[in-house]
Amino acid sequence: MRIAWIGKKTPFCGNVTYGREITNALLERGHEVSFLHFAQEVSQGSKELSCAEVPLPFIYKSQVYTIPTFKATKVLTKSLQRIKPDIVHASLTLSTLDFLLPEICEKLNIPLIATFHTPFAGKGAKLISGTQLLAYQLYAPFLSNYNSTIVFSQLQRELLARMGVPAENIAVIPNGVDVDKYSPGFSAIKAEFEAERLFVYQGRLATEKNVEALLRAWRQAEMGSQSKLLIVGDGPLRAGLEPFYGPEHGINWLGFIADDDRRIEILRGADVFILPSLVEGLSLSLLEAMACGLACLATEVGADGEVLQDGAGVVLDTNRVRSQLRTLLPLFQDHPELGLMLGQKARQRVLERYTLSKNITQLEKLYEEIARGKKLHFRPQQTKKAV
């Protein structure tokens, strides 16, 4: 099948990893993939993508949103006319092109699928802030014009359906990880940091990730010199937090790590992975840690709580993250057998439900269904339903 994938390659975020892993897996299964992404020019010798690339011009892009140039629509349309894909899959980048795609594909008579990454709070689909609520309300009328929208959990599907997206056009396909690549194994990372117990946070350093709650809990728990906390990632909050939570407290700031082998080495050598977010979609970082056999502590936001339910990890209450971690961190420090047991359960949960192979098989079935039985029928924007 010939697939035109529209997504992100930079700056690094979950959407970037999602696009890289899935497009490469589709290529391995014999599909023809063209990757259209916002860039000034096609990169040469890219190690991240092994498919044909098409640069789309932009004015500004960040981990959160992208502002394309006026020329981007023309470039996209002409590229799709040249590629002649069987299907277009847009890993939505929070840009104005997301809203124009249905009309473009309608004119070209190409089926269109979206993956909607915008995070949410979780149970009861109660969004944590007006920002996420606005994003869902903004996108819902336009997602109704896609042949299918992929989300990561049933809760997210119910939320979009309440906002007017036809439920039959919403497919739940959870994220997946390569369980051969992300797996338990030898690591010398503890020796490098002179630690007996190693705890890890990996993700953006932004308000919605609630990292300060973890940092404050770590200091209050007085973990001792033999336990270390590694902060993997970067973001706007780092400059304000790092001076107050440094090596003297057993906290090491590693910044953004692009090298997969280095990140896997860290995960394999760690004992506990912590994700204290206020909102999520379905965290790939969490799934990667679980696949590497770490005990995982995460808040019940997005689909993360669903991933850890029934004993595959510890689910934190977003309203009590700091107090809960203050109790749990010493517990995992003093009882390594607890971490080992939860790490085994976490790995097993990923093998059962969240492998990249299962994800791609589900995606292929959706592609076939859409390409065989449906063509895009563009509908004028409708008034959205109240949540």
Side-chain angles (χ1 to χ4, degrees), residues 28-47:
E28 288 176 2
R29 294 201 182 185
H31 299 283
E32 184 179 336
V33 182
S34 297
F35 198 112
L36 296 85
H37 62 92
F38 292 101
Q40 302 295 354
E41 59 185 10
V42 176
S43 59
Q44 301 297 319
S46 172
K47 295 181 180 180

Side-chain angles (χ1 to χ4, degrees), residues 295-311:
C296 292
L297 287 61
T299 44
E300 192 169 12
V301 295
D304 291 357
E306 180 181 319
V307 171
L308 296 179
Q309 68 184 2
D310 301 325

